[in-house]
């Protein structure tokens, strides 16, 4: 019993360590993504995080800057970024051409959705090294987005152009406005607020339909208009990674180290007491006792035990077969409900399908067309996840989409040329 209790205690302590370390390790595996990141990866630089900085003016126009941050923590990464920086300065068009096309498509979709005339101009790219005090390589794409916000007298309404904007766990959206305006509405609430600035982090917030939404009024005060208790911001603060973005925060590391030390000390103590079999005769005595009991058991008892074990094994096999049959029947029923092909060969169960295959199957089951909102409901996805999957499928040409009133409608590709007139829009879910 002492040995069991000791092992149980050690396992519990080890699980505590894993509970602290595992979430951090998972978060560290998420790479940065967004328009313009592909040329960086091709040059051997894989950004760790993304900053999307939006500065809205009184006219409703906005300056956008999409920054890709890479921690320069080893010689190879530093050399790769230096090579990338030199190439960006020598050949900027190689980086801005594809980026400008992607942004123009997004702005065009937002124009169709809002009814305001919009354009993306003055696209540029830059690369530099910053020390904060750790060294980071930063590649920044910037452009001007005209009529990004709706102007209504002394009010600015921000957000309808990027409704349902997708932020992954390594991304952050930073929205700022003029000094003489105050925010009367901020939905959802910012993960951080500064003077005339609100910040949403993808690791904490998912935008749904109608979000983000920020209403600004001249001379008003409200959420996000006064500085919080955080340190006074400097001009570079809006671009500096927060402590929460650190792949392994100092506090978490210290806690993990303390737990490891405690586990080690506990194991040594238990071993010295003989509970783990290394410091006393308890383990050997227990083994001898168990061996003596087995040796003294009569042959009849051994045979009976073997028979009972065989019977139990057979019973387990029968139960497993029945469970497998039931599971197969359930999967078959699910496929019928999902609108499978209905042929002689069974379709794979939904859990074995990719996200794209599940969307295609759902569209086929609805006669070739379905509203995007219905996809989210049928597959029990968030609006953000649905938008990301659909956008990727549209980029690959797997499906098409068009606006029907205020709804996005998805459909299978059509061969007729007239289908192109309906597929303009619906990509305002992310840049």
């Amino acid at each position: 019993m002492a040995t069991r209790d000791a092992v149980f205690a050690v396992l519990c302590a080890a699980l505590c360590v894993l509970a602290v370390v595992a979430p951090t390790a998972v978060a560290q595996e998420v790479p940065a993504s967004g328009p313009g990141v592909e040329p960086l990866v091709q040059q051997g630089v894989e950004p760790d995080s993304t900053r999307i900085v939006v500065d809205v003016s009184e006219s409703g126009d906005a300056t956008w800057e999409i920054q890709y941050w890479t921690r320069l923590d080893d010689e190879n990464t530093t050399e790769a970024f230096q090579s990338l920086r030199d190439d960006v300065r020598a050949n900027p068009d190689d980086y801005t051409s594809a980026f400008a096309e992607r942004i123009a498509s997004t702005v065009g979709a937002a124009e169709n959705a809002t009814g305001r005339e919009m354009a993306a101009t003055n696209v540029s790219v830059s690369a530099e090294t910053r020390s904060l005090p750790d060294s980071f390589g930063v590649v920044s794409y910037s452009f001007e987005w005209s009529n990004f916000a709706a102007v209504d007298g002394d009010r600015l309404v921000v957000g309808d152009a990027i409704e349902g904007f997708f932020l992954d766990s390594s991304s952050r959206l930073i929205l700022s406005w003029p000094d003489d305006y105050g925010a009367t509405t901020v939905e959802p609430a910012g993960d951080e607020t500064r003077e005339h600035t609100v910040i949403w982090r993808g690791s904490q917030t998912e935008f749904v339909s109608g979000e983000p939404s920020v209403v600004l009024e001249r001379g008003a005060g409200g959420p996000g208009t006064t500085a919080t208790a955080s340190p006074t911001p400097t001009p570079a603060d809006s671009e500096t990674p927060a402590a929460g973005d650190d792949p392994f925060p100092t506090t978490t590391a210290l806690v993990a180290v303390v737990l490891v030390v405690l586990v080690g000390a506990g194991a040594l103590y238990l071993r010295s007491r003989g509970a783990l079999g290394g410091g006393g005769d308890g383990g050997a005595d227990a083994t001898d006792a168990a061996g003596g009991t087995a040796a003294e058991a009569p042959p009849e008892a051994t045979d009976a035990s073997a028979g009972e074990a065989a019977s139990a094994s057979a019973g387990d096999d029968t139960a497993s077969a029945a469970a497998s049959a039931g599971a197969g029947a359930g999967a078959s029923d699910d496929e019928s409900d999902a609108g499978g092909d209905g042929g002689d060969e069974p379709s794979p169960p939904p859990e074995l399908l990719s996200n794209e295959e599940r969307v295609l199957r759902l569209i086929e089951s609805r006669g070739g067309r379905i509203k995007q909102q219905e996809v989210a409901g049928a597959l029990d996805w968030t609006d953000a996840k649905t938008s990301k999957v659909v956008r990727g499928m549209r980029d690959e040409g797997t499906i098409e989409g068009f606006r029907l009133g205020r709804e996005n409608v998805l459909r299978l590709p059509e061969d007729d040329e007239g289908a192109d007139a309906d597929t303009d829009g619906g990509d305002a879910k992310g840049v």
Side-chain angles (χ1 to χ4, degrees), residues 35 42 114 116 163 165 212 215 224 254 305 352 411 424:
Q42 293 172 2
T114 62
R116 296 194 302 275
E163 180 181 355
F165 192 86
V215 178
L254 290 175
S305 299
L352 298 182
R411 70 180 180 190
D424 183 26

Side-chain angles (χ1 to χ4, degrees), residues 67-410:
Q67 307 167 349
Y68 295 107
W69 289 71
T70 304
R71 189 183 296 274
L72 307 181
D73 52 3
D74 61 65
E75 184 177 351
N76 291 336
T77 304
T78 301
E79 291 180 354
F81 184 82
Q82 290 173 348
S83 176
L84 170 66
R85 180 191 59 193
D86 295 341
D87 192 56
V88 167
R89 293 174 178 176
N91 306 290
D93 291 344
D94 292 346
Y95 297 84
T96 57
S97 57
F99 177 84
E101 291 179 2
R102 174 76 177 272
I103 294 302
S105 175
T106 298
V107 172
E111 180 181 59
N112 293 334
T114 62
R116 296 194 302 275
E117 184 176 350
M118 297 179 175
T121 58
N122 299 328
V123 178
S124 63
V125 64
S126 64
E128 61 180 336
T129 301
R130 303 182 187 180
S131 298
L132 305 167
D134 294 338
S135 293
F136 290 86
V138 183
V139 176
S140 302
Y141 292 90
S142 61
F143 63 96
E144 302 290 332
W145 187 331
S146 61
N147 290 325
F148 171 70
V151 180
D152 181 14
D154 289 337
R155 297 173 70 246
L156 292 174
V157 181
V158 184
D160 59 345
I162 54 172
E163 180 181 355
F165 192 86
F166 177 75
L167 291 174
D168 62 31
S169 60
S170 64
S171 299
R172 181 196 304 183
L173 175 62
I174 305 168
L175 176 67
S176 301
W177 52 85
D179 294 345
D180 53 345
Y181 280 78
T184 58
T185 301
V186 176
E187 295 180 353
D191 301 312
E192 181 181 346
T193 57
R194 300 174 183 170
E195 190 171 9
H196 310 297
T197 299
V198 62
I199 302 173
W200 295 280
R201 295 187 176 88
S203 59
Q204 299 173 260
T205 298
E206 283 189 9
F207 296 127
V208 298
S209 180
E211 295 177 350
S213 177
V214 178
V215 178
L216 308 171
E217 292 188 12
R218 191 187 301 272
T225 61
T226 58
T228 62
S230 58
T232 303
T234 65
D237 277 348
S238 63
E239 303 165 348
T240 302
D245 297 320
D246 193 335
F248 198 81
T250 303
T251 302
T252 303
L254 290 175
V255 172
V257 170
V258 170
L259 287 175
V260 170
V261 171
L262 290 176
V263 171
L268 289 175
Y269 173 76
L270 292 173
R271 184 179 180 84
S272 67
R273 302 287 295 180
L276 295 180
D281 299 330
D285 292 343
T287 303
D288 292 342
T293 302
E296 294 170 3
E300 294 81 6
T302 303
D303 295 340
S305 299
E308 293 172 359
S311 300
S313 176
D316 291 342
D317 292 342
T318 303
S320 298
S324 299
S332 178
D333 292 340
D334 290 341
E335 290 306 306
S336 299
D337 295 339
D341 296 336
D344 294 334
E345 297 183 1
S347 300
E351 60 268 19
L352 298 182
L353 299 177
S354 66
N355 291 334
E356 292 76 7
E357 290 172 327
R358 297 179 69 184
V359 173
L360 284 176
R361 173 176 291 187
L362 187 59
I363 296 177
E364 292 171 351
S365 70
R366 301 296 177 88
R369 296 194 180 195
I370 188 173
K371 292 181 179 180
Q372 183 169 322
Q373 197 67 30
E374 293 181 10
V375 173
L379 299 180
D380 195 23
W381 289 352
T382 63
D383 290 344
K385 177 178 180 180
T386 304
S387 176
K388 181 180 180 181
V389 173
V390 166
R391 183 170 63 247
M393 296 178 69
R394 292 183 59 199
D395 290 343
E396 295 174 359
T398 310
I399 62 173
E400 297 175 347
F402 61 94
R403 302 285 296 189
L404 184 61
R406 294 188 61 84
E407 295 280 350
N408 287 334
V409 178
L410 309 177

